[in-house]
Amino acid sequence: MAFMASPSPRRHAPLPPPRHHHRRTLSSTLVDETVAAAAALVQKWHPGDAPDSGCGSLFLDAAEGDDEPQRFLRAAADLHRAMLFFASDATTHGGSDGSGLIQAQALLETAMRRLDLELQLLLADDDATRRSSSIRAVVKAMMAAGYGRECVATFKSRRRAALSAALHRLLGFPPLPGPGDHHHHMHKLSWDQLDGAVIPSWLAAAPAAFTSLFPAEKRLCDAAFSGDAAVGDAVFAAVASDHAAGLLAVAEALAARARRAPERLFRVLDVHDALTAALPALLSVFGSGDGSEVAARAAAAVAKVGDAARSTLGGLEAAIRKEPSKGTAAGGAVHPLTRYVMNYLVFLADYNHGLALLYDDDSDSDNSDEQAPPSSSIIHRLVTALLGKLEAKAGSYREVALSYLFLANNTAYVARKVAGSGELRGVLGERWAEEQGDKATAHVAVYVRAAWGKVMTSLGGGGGGEADPAAVEAAVMEAVGAQEQWVAADEEMGEALRKAAAAAVVPKYRMFYRRHGAAVRITPGDVAAMITALFGGPLQRRQEGPSPNASGDHPARRPRVQQLFT
């Protein structure tokens, strides 16, 4: 029986007692008394007396221990039984004029309107989950009295509104109203609109919605409709499915906008991590069977976001490999590609667990010194592609020394980035990082031999016995002049380069100077100072003119060294 379209707030006028044309029985007398008792309580809580008129709420305003809510529920049940009794009595005895049935029916209608109002009040906000026992009692009473349609309609409308308000608070903007609006609206947004406001709010709200808000709503529906699980499931789907679809539409729009743009990858991985973590809870509340549209859409969203991430990473790897090998860095400096990729990988390593799920490998497990990084690790593939490209770029330098300086700088930069990131070191392994450091040291040694090779050759293998002073001085000046524009990756690398060069050159030059000092102007101290001034080292200027020093070297004017990097 449906409620009246516009129920009058006027109380029901007392109906005249029924005129019985058949012999009254003990049962009918008891029923009449029950109806009369119920009528008094129903009239007290007439639904026309709204809460703001001073009547209040039967359930929300009840004091602890107050049994009036339960008495009202029993009265409603009594009226329903009385209505059935009068209907049966008229059929059995054929003498009733139907007034008892009419009165019981009218009172039951009034009681149901009151319970419908109470249900609205009980369901109105987030506190509904703490009122599940009262809600269950009202739902049970309405369903038992034949007002299930009205009960379900009220439940759906109130909980939809409450859930929408809760999501609004979480997101910071109102969720879209209809299932058809989600997809179209989100896919009209640009990347900047998604990235600027929508995704940050989504990342804060969606995990809470999937793991807390929706499960709480499901528990409320299950509790309220505990007598009929199918009805509870249907009500929950009607309340929450559209809202869940709206949240999933954000992830779908992100996947569509983010393909093959490396700078957008981290947003994609954030969303993928959030969806992957929330998926079990989402499947639990919405069901994982073939009939669950939300579950199917959620699984598809995870797949789409994962595809977008893999596509972006694949595009980055391809871009590294396609980088022109002839694009070198001036002075053998750290190449911009090296800085970009390594800084990128430092951030990417923070998502290693999610990457392992994307690529179905075990790259998120801890790597010990004995444990080589898995070949399937996307991070390992990216850094391998970078190192290969650096080798190719090194071959584009005309000077052998400069190519090895480039390798030393860039390999050392890679090794230090890995060593400075616990996550990245965990992915690639301690041994891998140490091997790159060893390679950088080896490149420094080759660089020194190539950069100072002509000087060493002019000095002669035996300490300068057959050396030509003029040729030695020219070779020194040429070596220093060539390296004035060359740079080191950082002060640590600069110190390593100066130390290696000084160790290789100065002792032999000192032996040469002891034999030919009268014929040369450059002292061992000058050579050491020039080496010290390379790669941003401290520039020690000497005064002109003879001035004995502690080592017995005779100072002279040395070539001016330009410092470009400090």
Side-chain angles (χ1 to χ4, degrees):
M1 180 182 299
F3 294 125
M4 292 182 291
S6 302
S8 171
R10 180 174 55 84
R11 294 181 182 273
H12 291 287
L15 297 176
R19 292 182 300 170
H20 298 290
H21 298 289
H22 62 283
R23 183 173 55 87
R24 291 183 57 84
T25 65
L26 178 60
S27 296
S28 62
T29 301
L30 292 175
V31 170
D32 286 341
E33 292 174 354
T34 299
V35 170
L41 192 55
V42 169
Q43 294 294 355
K44 177 181 177 181
W45 292 97
H46 194 284
D49 295 326
D52 59 0
S53 66
C55 184
S57 168
L58 174 61
F59 284 84
L60 293 178
D61 296 338
E64 186 176 356
D66 187 352
D67 67 344
E68 192 156 38
Q70 296 303 316
R71 289 194 294 113
F72 190 94
L73 293 174
R74 287 196 296 271
D78 290 342
L79 289 171
H80 183 241
R81 283 192 295 269
M83 196 176 75
L84 296 177
F85 173 83
F86 286 128
S88 173
D89 187 53
T91 302
T92 303
H93 300 286
S96 173
D97 62 0
S99 57
L101 176 60
I102 294 171
Q103 182 185 30
Q105 184 177 3
L107 288 169
L108 182 62
E109 175 82 10
T110 302
M112 291 299 107
R113 293 212 315 273
R114 163 48 68 178
L115 290 182
D116 186 77
L117 175 60
E118 293 294 331
L119 188 60
Q120 293 178 44
L121 297 173
L122 290 168
L123 294 171
D125 52 34
D126 295 340
D127 290 334
T129 55
R130 294 196 290 269
R131 306 169 184 147
S132 58
S133 60
S134 296
I135 292 170
R136 180 169 59 248
V138 173
V139 168
K140 182 178 179 181
M142 293 184 72
M143 299 285 280
Y147 286 78
R149 181 184 301 175
E150 293 81 0
C151 173
V152 167
T154 295
F155 199 103
K156 289 179 181 178
S157 65
R158 287 292 170 167
R159 291 315 300 165
R160 277 199 198 104
L163 190 56
S164 179
L167 286 172
H168 190 173
R169 288 192 297 273
L170 284 174
L171 289 167
F173 55 85
L176 295 173
D181 297 330
H182 302 142
H183 179 83
H184 298 297
H185 177 76
M186 285 299 167
H187 282 262
K188 288 180 180 179
L189 298 180
S190 67
W191 170 260
D192 289 340
Q193 289 172 316
L194 281 171
D195 184 55
V198 176
I199 297 300
S201 296
W202 188 95
L203 288 170
F210 290 139
T211 61
S212 179
L213 207 58
F214 290 136
E217 198 67 34
K218 182 65 165 63
R219 289 192 296 272
L220 178 61
C221 290
D222 289 345
F225 298 94
S226 57
D228 194 332
V231 173
D233 290 343
V235 170
F236 172 73
V239 168
S241 291
D242 286 353
H243 290 305
L247 292 174
L248 294 173
V250 175
E252 294 163 351
L254 173 88
R257 292 283 182 274
R259 290 186 181 279
R260 304 186 74 84
E263 68 277 8
R264 300 178 181 180
L265 175 66
F266 299 109
R267 283 293 193 211
V268 177
L269 293 176
D270 284 335
V271 170
H272 184 267
D273 284 355
L275 279 179
T276 302
L279 190 60
L282 192 148
L283 296 180
S284 176
V285 296
F286 286 97
S288 56
D290 295 337
S292 174
E293 294 183 7
V294 171
R297 188 166 179 175
V302 171
K304 289 177 182 177
V305 175
D307 287 343
R310 284 186 290 268
S311 176
T312 301
L313 287 165
L316 177 59
E317 183 180 1
I320 294 171
R321 298 188 187 280
K322 292 178 182 178
E323 165 79 5
S325 297
K326 293 184 178 180
T328 58
V334 176
H335 198 279
L337 178 68
T338 307
R339 294 184 187 277
Y340 178 85
V341 172
M342 292 311 300
N343 285 323
Y344 197 91
L345 295 183
V346 168
F347 286 107
L348 191 61
D350 289 336
Y351 296 88
N352 192 45
H353 178 72
L355 292 173
L357 297 177
L358 279 174
Y359 288 92
D360 284 331
D361 64 29
D362 295 324
S363 61
D364 61 321
S365 60
D366 292 333
N367 284 301
S368 64
D369 290 350
E370 294 76 25
Q371 190 175 21
S375 60
S376 60
S377 165
I378 183 60
I379 292 178
H380 188 261
R381 295 209 313 264
L382 290 171
V383 77
T384 299
L386 172 64
L387 293 175
K389 182 55 61 178
L390 292 176
E391 290 279 355
K393 286 181 176 293
S396 297
Y397 287 99
R398 292 183 179 180
E399 301 93 338
V400 173
L402 190 55
S403 69
Y404 278 96
L405 174 62
F406 174 80
L407 287 174
N409 278 330
N410 283 268
T411 306
Y413 183 87
V414 170
R416 286 170 193 150
K417 276 292 183 181
V418 174
S421 167
E423 290 293 334
L424 191 54
R425 190 171 64 251
V427 174
L428 296 173
E430 294 281 356
R431 177 175 293 180
W432 188 93
E434 291 173 0
E435 287 174 353
Q436 300 311 305
D438 292 342
K439 287 181 181 179
T441 301
H443 292 323
V444 168
V446 178
Y447 153 76
V448 169
R449 289 197 298 271
W452 295 92
K454 191 172 181 178
V455 173
M456 302 300 287
T457 300
S458 67
L459 286 171
E466 302 299 328
D468 178 0
V472 170
E473 280 195 327
V476 170
M477 297 292 288
E478 180 182 347
V480 172
Q483 296 176 74
E484 281 184 336
Q485 304 296 323
W486 297 357
V487 297
D490 52 29
E491 179 54 35
E492 184 177 349
M493 175 55 72
E495 181 62 28
L497 291 167
R498 293 188 293 268
K499 183 177 180 180
V505 176
V506 172
K508 284 193 173 184
Y509 190 88
R510 182 172 287 112
M511 293 175 63
F512 158 79
Y513 187 79
R514 287 172 181 169
R515 188 176 184 88
H516 300 283
V520 295
R521 300 175 63 213
I522 301 176
T523 69
D526 292 330
V527 174
M530 286 187 285
I531 292 174
T532 299
L534 295 174
F535 307 110
L539 189 61
Q540 299 179 355
R541 299 184 180 274
R542 295 180 178 273
Q543 297 180 352
E544 288 189 46
S547 175
N549 56 32
S551 63
D553 296 338
H554 297 284
R557 184 190 300 271
R558 67 176 181 82
R560 181 176 180 177
V561 181
Q562 183 180 8
Q563 285 184 291
L564 297 179
F565 295 83
T566 57

